[in-house]
Amino acid sequence: MTPATLMTLDLLAAVVTAAAWLGSGVAAASRRPRAALAVLGVAILASLTRVGVVVALSGAGWWFVQEKVVVALPLLLVTGVTATVVAVPRLTRAADPQPSVVVALLAAGYAAVGGLAGTLLLGYPATLGSALAITAAVAGATLLTWRIVAGPGRSPRIAIAVTAIAGVAGVGLAFVPPPTMDDGRDQSLTAAMGYHGGGARLAVAGQEPGRPVTSFRGPDSPSPGGVVRRYSLTARTATVTLSSGQKVAAWTFDGKVPGPPITANVGDLIEVRLRNADIASGVTLHWHGYDVPAGEDGVPGLTQEAVMPGQEFVYRFLADRQGTYWYHTHEVSSLGVKMGLYGTLLVGPPPAGVDLALPVHTFAGRTVVGDRDQPLDRQAAPGTPVRLRLINTDDTPHRFTLSGTPYRLSSVDGTDLNGPGELGRVGLRLPAGGRYDLTFTMPADRMVVLRTDDRTTSVRLSPGSSAGAPEEDTAGWPDLDLLRYGTAAPAPISGSSRFDRDFTLVLDRGLALSGGRPMYAYTVGGHAFPSIPTEMVSSGDLVRLTVVNRSRDIHPWHLHGHRVLVLSRDGRSPSGSPLWLDTFDVRPGEVWQVAFRATNPGLWMNHCHNLVHADEGMALHLAYEGVTTPFHGAHGG
Ligand code: C2O
Ligand code: CU
């Protein structure tokens, strides 16, 4: 069974356990000893099942079970055994259950509910504070029950006082900001122990010596042989008409969605003047997947201030790497990108033949590819080389299928794969933010059809008028596993490399302070932005990230400024082409290890590219020693 299945089973078992203990207690309270005994049997079975599931789940890693092993199961064990010992002999005598039986059964129920709440609300890592708070809540509920069932005279004052103190201390501890830690070297260890250092504030220029992030800028001139590619983009609200005629209110660059394509060849200098006409919340440009100098990275509050209405900012960077990329605003990006502030960035030389950039976006509930919400029909003479560049600009994955011809997935996130074999009848799952380049030679007798999520026909390429469209049900096609595609080749980093820094990111949901407010946040290591410890690196470090998803959502993980090499997923290294990615989907229960060499000094975001998740806490910084920001540094984007 996969960890995701076990996580679901554990939740189910926890719910049944809680319901059964409570049910047994209620039956006892309503003087139905036989029913109480029967439900008690279910409760014991469910509790044992939960223990079994947790043991199985622990095989997937400590982070999946920590709060269960440390808090939930001990509580359940103590109260469950007590309840069994107290209740079974008395209930089998079938006399009217005494108050002690009722209280013992309900206490086990409260403990089971507390454990469930720990998993759902507090998550990983359980701390002394959260353990105290849960225990106190269970004890408090038990005392209250005692008082109600046995009468007021018998409630022990001392127990009430101790419970209250524990509860207050627990809640206090749980919300105390983590201690400052500016070196991430031992973070994985401390995180695994449940003591999470953090809250490292980025050094602010003027307070400490260092080099401001704003000083890492692109060059003034192109490489020899290159030219300057000048663009000017104006962000403004506009009503956009989709190809079907449907009008949508959008936030645009130059009145268009997607914004104007930015293209260049390797060696060129890209210069983009961004103006903001009327986007009231402000706007920036982030070059997704393009490892620009930090000062050009477009993260408001970190590398620049947001460009407000009437203001402008000029970005300048060298086109030093070929491939398919995109740009988008990083200010209030969960709303801004959704509303249309994005476009494509293609670095060539452009290939011969048909070359289509296809950013896929959900707009007003419709799948929009490029600027069309209807299929794009194109003629392509037989034998023409074709490149389809799929770009997922949404928050969730899209599944693509291509029918009518064998093809290759030549490039992922702008990097060519090694020895990509021919594909057919497979689904391609593209993470939010990611890019796939599909290449093939136009066949003579058939149409080639690209579908999005099996529902939408996005592109139809026809070699001539007589060719029919392939009628295929693509929904049943299996998904391609990227980690097994292509041919293995030596890579500069491997799992046995000596890493200078090792960071573990445990992705979850839970109660946390996000932007100063307590909320049900998307968390990393139990904290939400900006309280997640900054990952500190030095120039030249070899850095490994272990990204663990113990939530029930998919998290497309994205590091700015660096491509990462995939070392393993769930402990297995890729058997196909080396995979350099800038965005990878960490699905529920998965553990990814990726690595990179820290060669792009600056301050960088490291976040979930489901931008709603990022906005609700799932974002942190990766900082190079000695780099400072003159801005407040607290913007997640
Ligand atoms: Cu495309 Cu910070 O992201
Ligand atoms: Cu996410």
Side-chain angles (χ1 to χ4, degrees), residues 554-556 608 610 613 618:
I554 297 173
H555 299 297
C608 178
N610 182 322
H613 297 182
M618 203 170 259

Side-chain angles (χ1 to χ4, degrees), residues 267-340:
D268 292 350
L269 181 76
I270 298 175
E271 184 187 289
V272 183
R273 182 174 299 267
L274 168 69
R275 295 193 175 89
N276 183 357
D278 64 351
I279 303 295
S281 48
V283 62
T284 66
L285 289 176
H286 168 63
W287 313 99
H288 184 110
Y290 222 68
D291 301 338
V292 300
E296 312 285 355
D297 199 43
V299 179
L302 191 66
T303 68
Q304 66 173 101
E305 294 290 25
V307 178
M308 301 311 284
Q311 298 180 337
E312 64 170 47
F313 189 94
V314 180
Y315 299 88
R316 211 175 273 120
F317 57 93
L318 204 59
D320 53 1
R321 167 179 292 283
Q322 201 169 317
T324 307
Y325 304 90
W326 62 298
Y327 63 85
H328 60 80
T329 184
H330 219 286
E331 172 67 24
V332 205
S333 58
S334 60
L335 183 60
V337 178
K338 188 181 166 62
M339 291 296 285

Side-chain angles (χ1 to χ4, degrees), residues 444-485:
D445 51 349
R446 273 165 305 162
M447 266 196 175
V448 177
V449 175
L450 175 75
R451 288 189 182 83
T452 309
D453 302 314
D454 303 305
R455 289 178 273 107
T456 317
T457 299
S458 295
V459 178
R460 279 190 295 240
L461 288 178
S462 167
S465 50
S466 63
E471 280 301 330
E472 278 173 299
D473 179 12
T474 58
W477 293 3
D479 285 348
L480 176 75
D481 184 356
L482 259 194
L483 271 68
R484 292 155 191 266
Y485 178 61

Side-chain angles (χ1 to χ4, degrees), residues 178-184 187 190-191 195-202 503-505 524-536 606 619-623:
T180 298
M181 179 173 69
D182 58 9
D183 186 343
Q187 188 183 334
T190 54
Y195 298 99
H196 211 85
R201 289 288 160 270
L202 296 169
F503 300 107
T504 299
L505 305 173
V524 181
H527 297 290
F529 190 87
S531 307
I532 304 166
T534 293
E535 298 168 338
M536 297 299 305
N606 193 10
L620 63 141
H621 293 141
L622 178 111

